Structure formats: structure tokens, C-alpha cells
Amino acid sequence: MDTWRFLPLESRSTAWNMAVDEAILQARIAEKVPNTLRLYRWSPSAVSIGRNQTIEDQVYLQTAEQLGVDVIRRCSGGGTVYHDCEGEVTYSVVAKTTDIGNTSDVTSVYFKIYEAITDALRLLGVPADFSSGDAKNCPNLTVEGKKISGSSQILSRGYVLQHGTLLQSVNLDKMFRLLKLKEVSCTQAADIGRQKITSITDVLGHKISPDTVANALKQGFKAILKIQLQETPLTPFEEELADRLYREKYSIKEWTLGDKPA
């Protein structure tokens, strides 16, 4: 049984979260660290956009500033996501693709990781189904047709970084004051969201703690990927690289506000 590194739930800044995820990926590609499961939250709340998106088309930037919500561009693809500081647990998986279900197929990797999250939700009493997505949407998890978990990927040299959300609760009115939908008002967008998005709290009818969600995720990944998890901190190499990525990439406006940066 393989042993992966586990980085337990913590709440960090937007730019630091993205810098750490990329640093782990680069360290894994260089074979300096093992496959890694990391759990985190966002402080403050944030909007993240996909690497190739144009920010003005996706986010109400003035509203984000007024509400104290950070905006960041990810190194991964996918769409625009609102990350609530109280309503979400985020996971990131960095691994050799063939160590996830013995496959390098992108959809199969999504499926295997979502199988682990589905098992975590089962432990919490939430029945979820895998949705393979379409040309506009990455694969995701749904409950009775409503999205409860989404993610994005970056693949490099046979290694994958997949990071994604698991919604504990959801404030759709706030979400769609921040996220743009073409030819739809914020109020209309929130109404549409109520038909398409759900959360653990919505399904169960009561709140559960982020630590409970984190523990369920840990157990789900262990069971489905058939791995052991060993809690080990970031290496000095990763800390130094994350600090450089934080200073020179994720905390500067040119990266986030630029039009599809290289």
C-alpha cells in the first residue's frame, strides 16, 4: 500500500494557497516529494479564475473590492469559482497520474478523485453522483442534479494537480454579486444558481464543522485510492519556491489581471 503525504486543513491567504499548490506540483515533477493530499480554506473569501480566462468577462471587480473578496488567477484551467471563507473546504491532489487508478486518462483521473470525494460525502450522509461534464464544464459531483463539488486540473510531464471545492454551505446571493453571467442580472443569476448548486448544509438540513468534512475527505481518499496518509510538512524546497511564486506571481496584478498570461 502506497503512502502519500497529507497536509492537514489550514486557512491561508488566496495568493499563498495558489503558490503552495504550484510549488508542490513542481516539487513532485522533480521527484523531491511524494504524492500529496492537501486540505485548505481561504482567508479572506476569494474568486479564482481559470488560467486562460479574461477576468473582466468573469468577475465584478469593483464589487469584490467593496466586499473585501480577493481575486486570483489559478495555474489550472477551468471556470470561475467563488471560495467562501466559511462555506468551503478545498482539496488539492498532486500525484503521478498513473498512481491514480493506474491511468493517464484525464477523465479517469477526475473520476477516481471524485470517487474518493463521493465516499467522503457518503460518510457524511450525502449521496452524490459523478457528472462527466461537457465542453463548457469540467467533471463534477452532483446531488439530485445540483453541483456540490467542482475542480480544475493542470497536467505536466505525467503529473497532475487537481484542486477543487466541497461546499459546506453556499451564499448564492453573494456569489452572483461577484460572478458574471452573460445577459443575466445578479438576482436572476442567483435564482438560476438555486436550481443548479447545493451544499452539505442544504442536503442535511444542519451545519457540520470543517474539521468533520476534512476528516471525511481524508478517510475517503484512503479508502478509494488504497493509500496510507502520513502527515508531513512542506519541505524547505517547497517553502522557498512557494514564497517566490507568492512574491513574483500570485500577489502581483500582472498575473491575475493580465489577459491570458503566458
Side-chain angles (χ1 to χ4, degrees), residues 4-19:
W4 287 31
R5 177 175 58 173
F6 178 64
L7 297 172
L9 186 68
E10 62 175 359
S11 184
R12 298 296 297 267
S13 74
T14 304
W16 181 252
N17 278 333
M18 295 297 91

Side-chain angles (χ1 to χ4, degrees), residues 18 21 40 74-76 91-93 150-152 161-165:
M18 295 297 91
D21 275 359
Y40 57 92
R74 302 186 303 271
C75 66
S76 58
Y91 71 88
S92 72
V93 172
S151 66
S152 59
L161 160 62
Q162 180 171 321
H163 42 197
T165 63

Side-chain angles (χ1 to χ4, degrees), residues 50-102:
R51 180 187 180 94
N52 296 316
Q53 291 187 297
T54 301
I55 195 164
E56 290 83 1
D57 295 339
Q58 305 297 326
V59 186
Y60 292 105
L61 292 171
Q62 186 175 358
T63 302
E65 184 176 0
Q66 291 171 348
L67 295 177
V69 173
D70 284 350
V71 180
I72 196 84
R73 183 183 298 275
R74 302 186 303 271
C75 66
S76 58
T80 306
V81 183
Y82 171 60
H83 307 276
D84 190 84
C85 64
E86 298 294 336
E88 175 186 321
V89 171
T90 305
Y91 71 88
S92 72
V93 172
V94 178
K96 195 171 185 177
T97 56
T98 52
D99 290 340
I100 303 175
N102 297 314

